Amino acid sequence: MRIRQLAVAVGLLGVLCVPAHAETRDLGRDTLPANDGWAAEGEGTTGGAAADAGHVYTVTDRAGLVRALDGGSDTPKIIRIAGTIDANTDDDGDRLDCADYATGGYSLKKYLAAYDPRTWGAAKPSGPQEEARQASAAKQAERIVLPVGSNTTIVGLGDKAVLKGASLQVRNADNVIIRNLELRDAYDCFPVWQPNTGGLGDWKAAYDNLWLAGATHVWVDHITASDRGHPDAKEPTYFARNYLRHDGLLDITNGSDLVTVSWSRFADHDKAMLIGNSDTATGDRGKLRVTLHHNAFESVVQRAPRVRFGQVHVYNNRYDITGDDYRYSLGVSTESRIHAENNAFHAPGHVEVADLVKSWNGGALHQSGTLFNGFPVDLLMIYNAYNSGSERDLTDDVGWTPVLHGPVDSAAAADRAVARGAGAGRIP
């Protein structure tokens, strides 16, 4: 009877304070192990492990999750997500679609007619339809942007916890843990046309599944992030450009620092992970220290990751490259200092070793122990040889050597372990 009463209460309220003994193992009380990447620096990362019983919640719907997040407050809290939560719902839990957010006379047909480059030209969109798009976008953002405050742990219960359609945003917060959760389809109903992007113009979506902006001491572990449900590859083409509905899966920008991303799966997406958002953001120097280990990047086109400024340790990751639209995996940008070791790449025949790296104003890349389709390769030497004469050579000296990390497995051993163990629902 008591279990049934608890279940009814959760279903009615969407949030419930639950005593710590309600689970055999309380993942919400876990903290980042010592030396496990950059997030272990200093006092380490404990998230909401110190939360009192009154700030431990189990949530089953958007309304309950919003109440538990408490507007991004700094109060220590543990939030357990049970089942699937859809952010595109109203306060009664009813499903919302793009038509429900549209306001001010916005319609895609009118927007396309107003800003067709053949008549509008290369100027930034302005006027009634752009104003209506912005107002419509603001209505969607009110529902799907969910702020995460300091001293917070968000953890999925069981092996099927899903947060769908949301953009979790850790902005100017410290000491956050997000684990064992599928983050699915942060879908933008109202992308903006940017005429001067990439020469031909491009569509820009607003939301990352998870965005760290000015965040410090963050541990992201055993998550699965993808566009599942609305792949951009199936979107139409407007103005000769794919109508993109998604931004990043996990972006780490705006001076974020001391981040560990482990045992996670990033899949079926274009621009997976951006670390550092601007070549001119010189205030990021000395920050953007990130560790990526034992992650799977599957069917990702680019940015796995792309780095500016940061000291980023990329070790024991698995890359499964598919599709004809693949661009690169490791993006070496302004003042980036990537230390990559013992990573395994699987690629089809049209992808060569040199394609794994792309440089924009980058100067250095340290790599060792790389496997390509099961064979050891010197990624840096091949990249420099292939691009000699068209781009400046990258040096091996990135100016630092990682010390905060666990055992570094061989690329072959890590490859097998990540295939079995990365992603939500796979915490041992």
Side-chain angles (χ1 to χ4, degrees):
M1 177 64 71
R2 181 175 178 83
I3 294 175
R4 183 177 299 172
Q5 289 172 340
L6 288 174
V8 171
V10 171
L12 292 175
L13 299 177
V15 58
L16 181 70
C17 296
V18 178
H21 59 74
E23 295 181 296
T24 302
R25 177 185 177 188
D26 187 0
L27 294 178
R29 299 290 179 183
D30 284 358
T31 61
L32 178 70
N35 298 316
D36 192 349
W38 274 117
E41 175 79 356
E43 297 181 358
T45 301
T46 59
D52 59 32
H55 292 92
V56 179
Y57 311 95
T58 296
V59 299
T60 61
D61 59 20
R62 178 193 174 278
L65 177 57
V66 168
R67 287 194 292 272
L69 287 168
D70 191 25
S73 76
D74 294 344
T75 303
K77 63 186 76 66
I78 297 170
I79 302 172
R80 302 163 174 163
I81 292 180
T84 297
I85 293 178
D86 190 343
N88 286 292
T89 51
D90 64 18
D91 289 341
D92 295 323
D94 294 327
R95 172 77 177 148
L96 299 172
D97 60 25
C98 293
D100 294 309
Y101 298 125
T103 189
Y106 173 86
S107 79
L108 178 57
K109 182 178 180 179
K110 291 178 181 178
Y111 190 89
L112 294 173
Y115 306 114
D116 189 324
R118 294 171 295 183
T119 54
W120 179 260
K124 182 179 178 180
S126 62
Q129 272 300 300
E130 172 58 16
E131 292 169 4
R133 187 204 65 79
Q134 292 180 20
S136 302
K139 286 186 66 176
Q140 185 185 20
E142 288 177 359
R143 307 308 299 177
I144 73 169
V145 173
L146 303 176
V148 180
S150 299
N151 310 311
T152 297
T153 291
I154 301 175
V155 61
L157 288 179
D159 59 1
K160 294 182 180 178
V162 178
L163 181 56
K164 176 182 176 183
S167 178
L168 280 180
Q169 299 190 359
V170 186
R171 304 186 65 174
N172 302 316
D174 177 69
N175 193 32
V176 172
I177 295 173
I178 301 173
R179 303 183 74 203
N180 197 44
L181 182 63
E182 181 179 350
L183 301 175
R184 182 192 301 172
D185 189 25
Y187 185 84
D188 188 348
C189 288
F190 309 101
V192 61
W193 173 244
Q194 296 182 323
N196 292 314
T197 300
L200 297 176
D202 210 350
W203 293 98
K204 170 65 175 174
Y207 308 114
D208 305 315
N209 290 28
L210 176 58
W211 182 27
L212 312 184
T216 53
H217 285 105
V218 180
W219 181 27
V220 178
D221 178 67
H222 281 93
I223 72 163
T224 296
S226 75
D227 299 341
R228 182 177 172 183
H230 286 105
D232 280 334
K234 293 187 177 181
E235 294 292 338
T237 296
Y238 299 123
F239 307 152
R241 306 295 283 175
N242 186 222
Y243 191 53
L244 297 175
R245 298 288 195 151
H246 304 88
D247 195 8
L249 293 177
L250 167 57
D251 280 5
I252 303 169
T253 65
N254 298 79
S256 291
D257 198 19
L258 305 177
V259 177
T260 297
V261 182
S262 57
W263 294 99
S264 292
R265 179 173 175 261
F266 302 93
D268 304 318
H269 188 81
D270 183 0
K271 302 170 182 175
M273 186 182 301
L274 181 66
I275 301 177
N277 58 308
S278 171
D279 290 347
T280 60
T282 55
D284 285 345
R285 288 174 179 147
K287 301 178 182 178
L288 298 173
R289 292 174 290 179
V290 178
T291 300
L292 307 176
H293 74 84
H294 294 92
N295 301 293
F297 295 91
E298 302 174 0
S299 299
V300 166
V301 175
Q302 56 186 314
R303 297 186 183 179
R306 179 178 176 179
V307 181
R308 296 178 175 94
F309 296 105
Q311 296 180 20
V312 180
H313 190 195
V314 182
Y315 76 92
N316 282 168
N317 299 286
R318 173 188 171 100
Y319 294 79
D320 283 304
I321 298 166
T322 62
D324 295 333
D325 55 350
Y326 173 75
R327 294 185 61 188
Y328 67 91
S329 294
L330 301 177
V332 183
S333 298
T334 302
E335 297 185 32
S336 65
R337 291 177 284 172
I338 300 172
H339 192 287
E341 55 182 324
N342 295 21
N343 299 292
F345 294 83
H346 303 268
H350 68 275
V351 175
E352 300 181 16
V353 174
D355 297 326
L356 304 180
V357 176
K358 176 68 176 175
S359 175
W360 297 263
N361 302 317
L365 169 67
H366 175 88
Q367 75 81 42
S368 60
T370 303
L371 285 184
F372 183 78
N373 288 337
F375 293 92
V377 295
D378 188 326
L379 180 56
L380 184 62
M381 182 185 72
I382 294 173
Y383 172 83
N384 284 336
Y386 187 88
N387 292 282
S388 179
S390 61
E391 298 180 13
R392 67 171 175 168
D393 284 356
L394 299 175
T395 72
D396 184 66
D397 184 8
V398 293
W400 72 292
T401 301
V403 294
L404 286 172
H405 58 79
V408 180
D409 301 321
S410 71
D415 191 24
R416 295 189 295 269
V418 170
R420 293 191 303 266
R426 295 183 174 184
I427 293 181

